[in-house]
Structures are given as structure tokens and as C-alpha cells.
Amino acid sequence: MREETDLSVLVKNSGEWLRGTGPESDIVISSRIRLARNLAGFPFIRKCSPEDREKIERQVRTRLENLPDWDEIPYVDIATLSEVDRQFLVERQLISREIADSEGSRAVAIDPSEQYSVMINEEDHLRIQVMHSGLDLVSAWEQIDRIDDAIEGEVLYAFHNKFGYLTACPTNVGTGLRVSVMLHLPGLVITQQIEKVFRSMQRINVTVRGLYGEGSQYTGDFYQVSNQVTLGHTEKELLEMVGQEVVPRIIDYERKAREFLIDKGQQDLHDDVSRALGILSTARKISSEETMHYLSKVRMGVNLGLIDDVQLATINKLFIHTQPAHLQKLHGRVLTTSDRNVERASYLQRHLCGPSGRADELN
Amino acid sequence: MKCQYCDKPATFHITELTEPDGPQVLHLCEQHARNVLQKGEPTPVSSVAGALAKQLQLGQTKEELRKLDQKECPVCGITFFEFRNSGRLGCPLDYDFFEADLKPLLLNIHDSLEHTGKRPTRAAATADSQADLIRLRKEMEAAVDREEYEKASELRDQINAIQGEPKRRGNA
Ligand SMILES: [Zn+2]
Ligand SMILES: [Zn+2]
């Protein structure tokens, strides 16, 4: 593995999962699977001494280096990163907020295409994560299963004949599997059906989280659906529950809501979407929250064919690239909140206006 | 409106749609909203705490609970009290050592006590051997510190015997 703490390569790219392609990508942003694993010979993180943490980190890194094809995987020592760099990796969803904020020896190996990452010393010794664009749980599972097998060839996992993979928190024990699908549901939000839809699914063992802005005025309209239980079901059953039972039903509701909106008030909707694009492309300063709110409308407009010269991939990238740490990395220095608001507005303008702006590629 | 966890204004209002009594709204500042959202999964401590509260309401008397709280894992030293407060266990042996106490909790969270999914091809199959591994590794480190290298290499052999050699693929 390459020793790589210069994240500048990642800054300019954007991960595979942001391509805006894959099944149902008008509604499903990404499919993410993570596995929690622990080594048999060490206590869980809470009871690890600083020396234990270092040994785990070193042992896992050395063992990963033995894997074929892993010599080109950038390996990032999180403890030595600046605050902005850690935040950057969190915004990019390559590491968790928890591992960014914790203390002591910790690291992450990042696949250059950003389809997978392996965190060392998070809440568990190992957190393997795979992320694909669109609704793509089956191939995401096949990939993470292979990675898990390869790592298991190198280290001895803490495993219990009855309870399965042992994890620091009993909410993860068994499969250690969390399947999460990120959905963009502006239609259900505008038609005020979102709570009804999720309430109708309450019996099903899934967790839904949404992000609302102030007074529901600023909203990114993103919702994440994940499995709640990890013990007593096979991985396949959990994948099917989220990917074949729950998510397709929500997608169906969202499509119906969008059709309804188009039939009902084509002009209103078109006006709303165009104004959103107008604000994003002309504002001189803009907060991250407001940006989310308008980008969400523009994204729906693109999907409904109301805006035809902006690419879905561009919108997806803008959601990430206008976050605080990304702006600072792209700008090359630390910025205050108000400087960021100015920089964000100018970044949006550059990518949404002008002859090259509405092209598919960001630079 | 103020953030539920600090004095900053609450600019994010996150609706948890999984609560049995209908949606529950969290009012949070940007920082705390990030913490909640970017974990991307149910906050384990609150679900463990909830399940534990239910279990403890039903089962234990005060005296029994006081005793249970003092119970301490011989390998990692975590007490049930510490687990109850943090929601995190201390080592693999805890699943056996606290098995009777964890069962109602696991049933509460997962509605099951039996793993039916993937199994590793190579595992220290018992919790005891996993506990042995932790103990032996500690002893070995102590032996190295005391410069008792012969003892240390004996211990290393024992560890390797439990652990087995990692499989080598490609590069032997
Ligand atoms: Zn706060
Ligand atoms: Zn223990």
C-alpha cells in the first residue's frame, strides 16, 4: 500500500458512487454496505490501551499489504491529518465522523475509485465499506464479500458459533452488516406524503432518517433507509428486505408523487425549479444549507426533464463539492464561514453558468 | 430554538421515523446534526439503552441490579455497569461471560439469538480460545519487557497454534 496522506488526488475526482448512474439513479443516490469485524486476539476498542490500538493498526496494515492488488491502495493515517482533511474524508463518506473525531491510532485504506474503504480502529477494529451509485446492492455485496474473505485469510476474526461476528456494540452482532440506501425524495416531501409513506412501513425492520431544514423551508430531501437488525437473518435476507421490499416501494411512491406534481401544476413546478437554478447560478454568497435546498430542486428538475442542460452527475458532485472541507481543499486554504459562503457561490456559478459550465465535467 | 445538546441555535430538524409512537423530531445545531446523520445508522447507545431499560424494568430488583452492575469480565475488566452506560462491550469473551444478562437484550434488539449468516472459514471457534489469545498476547508482551525472550517465543508458539497461520495467496 502506498503511504498517502496527500489527499489532493481525491479532491479533484469524485467517487464512483457520485456518477449519477446505475439502476433507479433518478431517485437512488447510492447503495452502501458495511461490515463490522474484530480481531480475535485483542479487546474491543473501548478496552484497548494506546499500545493495543497501535498494534492492531500495524498488524492489520501489514496483513492487508500481503493481499494481491492491495499495493496500490492509498493508506491514510487519520491521526496525522489536519481537521480539514479529516472533515474532507467524512464529507466524501470515506470515513465516519466517529473515527474522524476519536483519539489514538487509527487509519483508513481507500480504493482509488472510492468504491470501498477499510477503516481500522473505528468502533470496531475493522469497518469495511462498499459504496456504489444507484440501487446496486447485489454487486456491492459481492464486492464486500470478496474483500471480507480476503482479509479473513490474513487475520483471525472474533467469531462466536451462536452469536456470529462479535462486535463492540450488541446492535451489530451476528452479520455485522448494515445496508444503507440513500434516496432523494423531493416529490414525497412537496406533496407532504413522506411521513405517511414511512409510517406505513413501520412494521418492517428498517430505520429511516431524514434531514429537514429550518421550518422545512431548507431541505435536501434526502432519506436513508437501513436495516435495523443484524442477528438472526442471513446477509441475503437483509439485502432483500432493504433492496427488494422496502426501497422499490418508496421509489414507486416517489414516482407517483412526481407524476402528480407534473399533471397538477406543470407551470408552478417548472417555475420553482427554474428559480432554484437561477439563485444557484447568480448568488454572490450562499450557505451550505441553502445550497442543499436549491440543488435538491434542480436535481428533481433535471430528472423530470424540466432542465435539460445540466447533468445529474454535475448536481451530485456539487452536493459534495460545496461542503465546507471540500471548498477549502479546492481553494487550497482554510476559509471562515463567510468566506466559504462567497467561495461556494462562485464555485456554483462556475459550474452552472457559461459555455463550459453546463458541461458534464467538473474540474 | 436551541440545539438539544448545546446552546447553539438548532438549524437542523431531523425526523426519526422509526419510533413506535410516531415520528420523533430532533432539533440540532449543525455540528450535532452532522454527528447524528453521519453515523448513518441507529445511534447504538440509545437503542442499547432503550432495550436495557425495558429488560431491567421487567427482570431485576434493585439488589439484583446492584450485583449485576458489579459483575466484571476477567479478561478485559469491563463491568456490566460500564457496559450499561456506554453501550459498548470490552472484549469477545463478554458475549459468553455476560451471556445470560445479554440474552434478553439481544432478543429485544434483534428478535433472535442465533446467527444464520456467513461464517469465516478459519476461526478461533470458542470464546475461551479468544480470551486465551488476549491473555497470551499480554503475557508475551510482559515477557518481552522483562527480556525473557525464551518465554516470549514459547508464548508466541502457543498463540500461533490457536491462531493458525494466515492463508497466503499469490506470494507464499
Ligand atoms: Zn448542538
Ligand atoms: Zn471482556
Side-chain angles (χ1 to χ4, degrees), chain B residues 143-161:
Chain B
V144 171
D145 282 347
R146 291 192 306 267
E147 300 186 9
E148 296 172 9
Y149 297 113
E150 206 162 317
K151 171 88 178 154
S153 87
E154 269 170 37
L155 289 162
R156 174 179 299 275
D157 290 345
Q158 288 182 47
I159 292 171
N160 285 340

Side-chain angles (χ1 to χ4, degrees), chain B residues 3-9 28-33:
Chain B
C3 169
Q4 278 170 234
Y5 297 119
C6 70
D7 279 341
K8 284 189 222 145
L28 305 168
C29 68
E30 187 172 345
Q31 182 60 45
H32 281 110

Side-chain angles (χ1 to χ4, degrees), chain B residues 41-81:
Chain B
E41 50 188 76
T43 31
V45 177
S46 67
S47 48
V48 170
L52 267 168
K54 264 187 226 161
Q55 171 197 343
L56 296 172
Q57 258 166 26
L58 301 174
Q60 283 84 355
T61 65
K62 255 196 186 135
E63 183 53 27
E64 282 167 335
L65 182 60
R66 205 182 53 81
K67 266 205 182 132
L68 174 59
D69 272 349
Q70 286 172 350
K71 202 166 159 184
E72 187 180 315
C73 167
V75 170
C76 70
I78 200 168
T79 60
F80 197 77
F81 178 78

Side-chain angles (χ1 to χ4, degrees), chain A residues 216-235:
Chain A
S216 80
Q217 196 192 349
Y218 294 125
T219 157
D221 308 328
F222 292 106
Y223 292 83
Q224 182 169 274
V225 177
S226 334
N227 62 305
Q228 212 167 13
V229 306
T230 54
L231 180 65
H233 296 272
T234 64
E235 290 80 1

Side-chain angles (χ1 to χ4, degrees), chain B:
Chain B
M1 188 182 290
K2 272 188 189 171
C3 169
Q4 278 170 234
Y5 297 119
C6 70
D7 279 341
K8 284 189 222 145
T11 47
F12 286 79
H13 307 272
I14 299 163
T15 307
E16 293 277 3
L17 295 141
T18 45
E19 299 301 309
D21 326 316
Q24 189 206 348
V25 186
L26 303 169
H27 306 282
L28 305 168
C29 68
E30 187 172 345
Q31 182 60 45
H32 281 110
R34 264 182 215 293
N35 288 350
V36 168
L37 290 163
Q38 284 173 342
K39 294 195 83 162
E41 50 188 76
T43 31
V45 177
S46 67
S47 48
V48 170
L52 267 168
K54 264 187 226 161
Q55 171 197 343
L56 296 172
Q57 258 166 26
L58 301 174
Q60 283 84 355
T61 65
K62 255 196 186 135
E63 183 53 27
E64 282 167 335
L65 182 60
R66 205 182 53 81
K67 266 205 182 132
L68 174 59
D69 272 349
Q70 286 172 350
K71 202 166 159 184
E72 187 180 315
C73 167
V75 170
C76 70
I78 200 168
T79 60
F80 197 77
F81 178 78
E82 188 182 341
F83 163 64
R84 212 151 62 77
N85 280 293
S86 66
R88 306 292 194 286
L89 292 162
C91 80
L93 183 72
D94 298 354
Y95 281 93
D96 272 11
F97 184 71
F98 296 113
E99 184 171 353
D101 316 301
L102 285 175
K103 267 184 178 170
L105 174 79
L106 291 173
L107 272 174
N108 224 315
I109 298 171
H110 301 284
D111 212 14
S112 166
L113 289 173
E114 201 86 43
H115 175 60
T116 55
K118 181 176 178 177
R119 288 171 174 270
T121 53
R122 208 170 58 92
T126 66
D128 277 347
S129 61
Q130 291 172 44
D132 286 346
L133 270 178
I134 297 174
R135 282 201 200 96
L136 289 168
R137 202 178 46 76
K138 277 189 193 154
E139 279 176 40
M140 182 179 79
E141 282 157 18
V144 171
D145 282 347
R146 291 192 306 267
E147 300 186 9
E148 296 172 9
Y149 297 113
E150 206 162 317
K151 171 88 178 154
S153 87
E154 269 170 37
L155 289 162
R156 174 179 299 275
D157 290 345
Q158 288 182 47
I159 292 171
N160 285 340
I162 298 177
Q163 199 159 273
E165 269 302 292
K167 280 183 261 176
R168 284 284 175 267
R169 288 162 202 199
N171 46 348

